[in-house]
Structures are given as structure tokens and as C-alpha cells.
Amino acid sequence: MASVPSLASSVNQRVADALASALPDAGASDPLLRRSDRADFQANGILALAKKAKANPRELATTVVEGLDSGDLIKEIEVSGPGFLNITITDRAIVETLAARAADDRLGVPLAANPGTTVIDYAQPNVAKEMHVGHLRSAVIGAAMVEILEFTGEKVVRRHHIGDWGTQFGMLIQYLLEHPHELDHKSDEEVSGEEAMSNLNRLYKASRALFDSDEEFKTRARARVVDLQAGEPGTLALWQRFVDESKIYFYSVFNKLDMDIQDPDVVGESGYNDMLVETCKLLEESGVAVRSNGALCVFFDDVKGPDGNPTPLIVQKSDGGFGYAATDLSAIRDRVGDLGATELIYVVDARQSLHFKMVFETARRAGWLGDDVKAVQLAFGTVLGKDGKPFKTREGETVRLVDLLDEAVERATAVVREKAEKVGLTEQEIVENGRQVGIGAVKYADLSTSAARDYKFDLDQMVSLNGDTSVYLQYAYARIRSILRKAGEAGDRKPVAHPELELAPAERALGLHLDHFGELLAEAASDHAPHKLAAYLYQLSSLFTTFYDQCPVIKPEPELVVGENRLFLCELTARTLSKGMSLLGIRTPEKL
């Protein structure tokens, strides 16, 4: 495994060295290199450095150019405007760098210099409740962040903080106790997620109706909550049945989403029960939390209600019950203390931002989040319907996630079927590709929008072959695979890098973008921004389309080596696309 320095970092180093000899007293100086439409790169840092050294920027720029070691890397460099450097690199340097990337399994992408341990809290459905469209973003964004961070070398611990505790379980358990066969399965064979959910739905509605209409049942249900919290074995065994039944359903939905969720990673609210009393005791003894009207509260100078009075974080209610804050604070103690986390990421709806701000601040005051641990909420916006309002069914109900995914797959399968005959797909391939395209479309629509923004859920747009959609990227990948297959059948054409060749403008543009993959991934990881990776891949597909239109690959003129070099660019593009898409959790079919 060899990490390959990017062309940008090599150019940056050369300019920085020349700057250091031109201004020996300035210390480390950043040339501020960026991509440019005037040349391959532009260095903008000279102006600020000249100002600091009280020098003339154009003269300093000229001195830097004279002292620059261009070697095989830099073709030409010119001073423009008040002291910018426009830098064009050699075609040889582009092809040689790409050849080094192609020789490495990781495409030359380096591992992070100081990897830590990140705990990501994502995909948090509620026990005994159906997953709806609101659960989609946490799952999709969280899973992409897991893949991106793991690829950079970070140790990632997944945590699914499911809602598996609370007063509603008194009602459910009591009802099951009095109607013991409600969660029985029709047969001993494997139970479908649909059957598990319909059992739970039926039981939930029946117990709710009884709870609302029968005072005696309500009293029994409330007493059952006390038994549950006290850990009475019979009550806990019935509670476990709800958790197990719900997991059958959750896993079936995550399976549809093509997501791998493992049992040990599911640590719900109940997983921290044994820590709650101690968490409260530590907060109270240290003075971080105080009793107010019987409740244990943490106050903040900058958090006030509409009446101007401070709004506290309530850790324990006046009746002795624990709020979400107690569980979340206990989870932080566990994740930092036991799991050794150096970073905590919570992929949670933006509407919970104030809660997390208060929880993180409380944990800092208590010393559970030290200076060496980052805690961030990767807050996401709302899923909207085509009309720009929160996504609901015609009847005003929240949309079931399963229905959405099924419809996406159905639409995508129709799109795949239209072109199937032309590419010679079997029925099995049509079905499989339809699934990969449909689920990919849903994930990509989510991931190509910055997480913090709301986005419109428009299936017509998502499965469109035009525009910024995953189908466009999947088709670009499948087209390259088809080109490589044809070249292989021709026999005399193999993907081989030829650094001695001159590159056409479309080849250079594609090559420079391919080289930027590692830097982009590092940015997506540190900014917790999968949408940056999606944007990179869309641009890669667009640059490939231009390259393919302008540069004949199978019948290049005038000679074979040009074709080999272009096939080499095709193959590296396909590998980069496939790797990038897999980090977003999206599959790339070989034929489409």
C-alpha cells in the first residue's frame, strides 16, 4: 500500500520551498494553492506574505519564480495581476502520478496521520413503532460517514441508540401479559419484517385504545412501568419480546436499504439504565447540576425560555424518573470512558440541536468530555414533499419508509428494463439492478444535499438519467465497464499509462480531477460532509462524459498507444467512481 502525494501537494511544496528561500525570515509560509481556470493551479499567498514583509508583491513573485525548482513537474509559471502565480504542470507529471495511483489498491489515498476512535450514533428507530421517512436521513448519512472515516484509517464504533425504554412499555407489556398470544408467529419459519411490524402495530393500537378507555387497565399499566424500572424478571422478559420482534422489523428495513447493522452495535436507551443513578449523583455532588422544584437541573446563561427565565436541562424529574438527558450523559461516559472515543458524532435531526448543545456543555463541565474529545451533532434537515412541505401521505399521515423504498425500486426497475434489451440483461439482472439503482437513487438524493438543509423527496427526479442523480453516475460506471470489455475482446488494446504522450484538454481535466480524490476524501471526513464526496463523483462523471465525447477510445487516431492511455484513464475513472460510490453506500452495477 503506497500513498501517492497529489499533484497539488507537490506543486505546493515546490512553491513553499521557493518562498522560504526568497523570504528566509518569514517562517513557514502557505502559498494558498487552489485550482484555477486560468492555469492548472493558482498560488494566491504571495500578496499577504509581501505585505507582512513590507515587500513589493510582484517583485517577490518574480523572485519566487526564478528560485523555483520546476523539474519534470511544472511546465510553465507566470506572474499575473498584483502577484498571483499561474502554474501549469506537465502532462508527464499527470500521467505518472495517475499510474502510481492505479498501482495501489487504495488508489494512493493516504491513511490519516493520527487516527483516533470515533463513535457514531445513527439509525435510531423506536421499538414497537414503524420506521417512517424521518428515519431515513440518520441511517443514510450515518452509514456514509462510517465508511468514509473507516477508509481514512479511523477506528469507528457504530452505535444505534434505539428507543427501547419509557412509560409506554408499561401499557404494551401489561396488554401482552393479558393477551399472551398477540406476538405469536404464524409459523416456525423465518418471520418477515412485515409480519413482525403488523403484530406490533395491532398490539400497539389495541393496548392504546384500552389504556384510553379503561381506568383499571391504565392503573395496571402504570404499575407495570414501576416493575419494568425495578428490573422485575417476568416484566423484563416480556419487554425483551417487544425488542426482539422490533429487531426483526428493523433489520428487514435496513436490509432493504442495503445496510449492514450488527446486533452488538444496537445499544438502546436501556443499555445505560445501570449508570443513570450514578450519573445523577456525580452531577449533583460536583455542583454541575442542582435541585430545582425537586428536579435535578443544569442551568446555562445563554439558554432562556420565551418568558426570559433560564431553561434548564432536566436530568432527573421531580418524581424520580430520568429524562433523555440522563441517558445521553451516561452514553457519553460510556463512549469516552469505556470505548475510548476521541470523537463522538450524533447524526440527529436539527430540531434537537439545543438539547445536544446543553448535553455536551454539561458533559464538559462534569469532565467527561475532556479537551482531547470532540463531540459534534451532525444535524440534518427535514425531508419535504414535492410541494416543499413536510412529507406526508394524502391522508396527512407520516410516510412509511418501506413503502417509499419499494416504490423507488419499482420506478428504477422500469428505467432499467427500458434499456435492458440493448445491453442484454437477464430478468434476474434487471431485478437486481433495479434494486441497486432504486436504493442508490434514494441514498444519493439525500447525500448530495448538505445534511443541514431540507431536501425534496421527488422520485421522478431521483431515478432520472439526466442531472445530478446516482443513476447518472451508475450509467457512467457501466458505460466504462462496457468500453473496457469491448477493448478486451479486441485483444490488442490494454489499459496502459503512457507518460510520454501529450494530453488533450479533456484528458488533462479528467486526470487532474482523478488526482484530487484523496484530498477530497480527507475534507469530507474532517468536515463530516458526505455531500462533498457526492459532488466530486458527479463532477467526475461529467468530466468523463466530455472526455469520452472528445477523445475516441476504441478507435483512437493516430496510434495504438493513445488508445492504451485513454483506456488507462477509463479504468482509473471506473475504479475511483466505484470506490467513491461504495463509500456512500451505493452499488455500481457492471452492466446497465
Side-chain angles (χ1 to χ4, degrees):
M1 192 189 80
S3 107
V4 177
S6 70
L7 293 160
S9 66
S10 303
V11 171
N12 202 58
Q13 190 58 53
R14 299 273 174 101
V15 179
D17 291 348
L19 263 170
S21 21
L23 287 175
D25 304 331
S29 39
D30 185 354
L32 295 178
L33 195 76
R34 61 179 186 82
R35 287 296 303 278
S36 165
D37 46 10
R38 305 254 164 93
D40 294 333
F41 297 101
Q42 190 173 62
N44 300 341
I46 289 176
L47 289 107
L49 291 162
K51 197 174 168 187
K52 209 164 133 194
K54 301 194 170 42
N56 174 314
R58 267 195 82 93
E59 282 174 17
L60 175 58
T62 310
T63 312
V64 168
V65 172
E66 285 164 1
L68 196 78
D69 167 22
S70 55
D72 282 345
L73 178 64
I74 295 171
K75 183 179 177 183
E76 65 184 274
I77 181 163
E78 59 162 20
V79 179
S80 87
F84 298 124
L85 294 184
N86 287 337
I87 302 164
T88 303
I89 54 180
T90 63
D91 292 349
R92 171 176 288 280
I94 294 176
V95 178
E96 283 178 347
T97 300
L98 295 181
R101 293 200 177 289
D104 179 48
D105 283 349
R106 291 175 49 85
L107 301 168
V109 176
L111 292 163
N114 302 303
T117 298
T118 296
V119 177
I120 301 194
D121 187 323
Y122 70 108
Q124 312 103 340
N126 293 311
V127 164
K129 288 198 179 152
E130 193 129 31
M131 287 174 75
H132 55 79
V133 68
H135 290 111
L136 180 67
R137 298 208 73 184
S138 175
V140 169
I141 296 166
M145 275 318 304
V146 167
E147 295 299 329
I148 291 169
L149 285 169
E150 281 191 332
F151 189 67
T152 64
E154 186 78 357
K155 178 185 174 196
V156 179
V157 182
R158 302 154 168 82
R159 277 292 173 266
H160 308 293
H161 190 89
I162 61 172
D164 64 353
W165 204 248
T167 51
Q168 77 277 18
F169 283 100
M171 169 184 95
L172 295 170
I173 292 167
Q174 189 58 36
Y175 190 87
L176 185 59
L177 195 69
E178 295 173 16
H179 304 82
H181 298 297
E182 283 298 300
L183 289 184
D184 290 358
H185 298 143
K186 290 176 191 151
S187 72
D188 294 339
E189 282 162 36
E190 201 176 326
V191 186
S192 71
E194 280 288 326
E195 186 191 332
M197 195 62 240
S198 81
N199 278 346
L200 290 163
N201 263 339
R202 196 178 57 245
L203 194 151
Y204 189 88
K205 283 178 183 152
S207 65
R208 182 87 245 178
L210 198 56
F211 188 85
D212 292 342
S213 64
D214 182 334
E215 283 303 317
E216 287 178 1
F217 177 75
K218 190 182 274 189
T219 306
R220 295 197 296 278
R222 285 187 171 146
R224 186 61 55 191
V225 177
V226 178
D227 292 341
L228 178 64
Q229 286 171 343
E232 192 273 312
T235 304
L236 274 182
L238 290 170
W239 167 80
Q240 189 63 49
R241 283 193 65 188
F242 283 98
V243 175
D244 293 343
E245 193 76 6
S246 298
K247 277 185 178 175
I248 295 172
Y249 162 69
F250 296 157
Y251 292 167
S252 75
V253 179
F254 289 127
N255 197 29
K256 250 186 221 285
L257 263 172
D258 196 12
M259 232 174 243
D260 181 31
I261 295 220
Q262 300 289 339
D263 230 29
D265 304 332
V266 180
V267 183
E269 292 171 45
S270 64
Y272 306 99
N273 283 349
D274 296 348
M275 300 174 72
L276 301 178
V277 172
E278 190 185 15
T279 294
C280 291
K281 185 165 159 260
L282 292 168
L283 289 173
E284 196 168 8
E285 283 174 359
S286 62
V288 172
V290 292
R291 291 277 165 195
S292 173
N293 298 331
L296 186 62
C297 302
V298 183
F299 288 93
F300 307 85
D301 294 338
D302 58 344
V303 184
K304 295 189 167 58
D307 56 2
N309 291 328
T311 303
L313 181 71
I314 299 173
V315 186
Q316 190 176 22
K317 301 173 208 161
S318 51
D319 65 2
F322 299 103
Y324 288 128
T327 309
D328 286 332
L329 288 162
S330 299
I332 288 176
R333 287 176 54 210
D334 171 63
R335 291 166 185 185
V336 176
D338 296 343
L339 300 175
T342 48
E343 179 170 50
L344 303 174
I345 301 176
Y346 291 79
V347 190
V348 183
D349 191 313
R351 286 169 290 196
Q352 308 223 12
S353 294
L354 180 61
H355 169 79
F356 279 101
K357 181 184 161 189
M358 292 157 86
V359 164
F360 295 159
E361 174 59 25
T362 301
R364 293 227 175 269
R365 290 180 191 176
W368 302 329
L369 272 179
D371 296 338
D372 51 347
V373 185
K374 259 173 73 178
V376 284
Q377 181 195 357
L378 206 178
F380 55 81
T382 309
V383 181
L384 307 172
K386 281 187 196 178
D387 57 2
K389 294 179 180 153
F391 199 18
K392 300 269 194 240
T393 62
R394 288 207 182 99
E395 297 72 45
E397 302 280 317
T398 46
V399 181
R400 295 170 68 215
L401 185 49
V402 185
D403 294 342
L404 267 192
L405 300 178
D406 288 345
E407 193 182 342
V409 169
E410 202 177 301
R411 297 271 187 102
T413 308
V415 170
V416 171
R417 197 176 288 283
E418 268 174 43
K419 294 190 176 278
E421 207 170 312
K422 204 165 143 197
V423 250
L425 295 180
T426 65
E427 182 59 28
Q428 191 183 347
E429 285 172 327
I430 293 172
V431 170
E432 186 53 32
N433 287 358
R435 210 163 57 87
Q436 294 184 5
V437 170
I439 297 304
V442 171
K443 288 182 178 179
Y444 187 84
D446 192 319
L447 293 168
S448 57
T449 309
S450 160
R453 290 174 46 198
D454 300 343
Y455 82 98
K456 286 185 184 174
F457 197 97
D458 179 350
L459 273 177
D460 294 327
Q461 177 52 38
M462 287 178 188
V463 297
S464 161
L465 302 177
N466 305 314
D468 187 2
T469 63
S470 70
V471 195
Y472 176 70
L473 307 191
Q474 287 168 320
Y475 264 104
Y477 175 78
R479 179 195 236 175
I480 302 174
R481 300 303 304 164
S482 157
I483 293 165
L484 293 167
R485 279 194 298 274
K486 278 184 193 148
E489 285 156 17
D492 58 351
R493 307 198 186 282
K494 291 186 174 53
V496 180
H498 285 278
E500 73 280 4
L501 290 175
E502 262 189 52
L503 297 177
E507 292 174 304
R508 295 187 99 249
L510 178 61
L512 286 167
H513 193 66
L514 282 167
D515 184 55
H516 184 52
F517 184 54
E519 287 165 328
L520 181 281
L521 275 179
E523 198 182 313
S526 66
D527 296 352
H528 308 127
H531 70 278
K532 291 187 172 178
L533 174 55
Y536 170 89
L537 295 170
Y538 174 59
Q539 203 184 342
L540 180 60
S541 302
S542 305
L543 287 167
F544 176 77
T545 304
T546 307
F547 155 78
Y548 188 65
D549 290 345
Q550 293 179 7
C551 305
V553 175
I554 301 288
K555 295 183 177 159
E557 299 299 335
E559 67 238 291
L560 183 64
V561 290
V562 174
E564 290 185 335
N565 201 51
R566 287 176 182 168
L567 281 172
F568 160 74
L569 284 172
C570 286
E571 187 169 67
L572 188 58
T573 302
R575 281 178 60 196
T576 307
L577 259 178
S578 179
K579 172 44 78 183
M581 294 285 268
S582 80
L583 295 177
L584 295 178
I586 300 172
R587 295 191 187 261
T588 37
E590 294 291 303
K591 280 192 207 162
L592 260 184

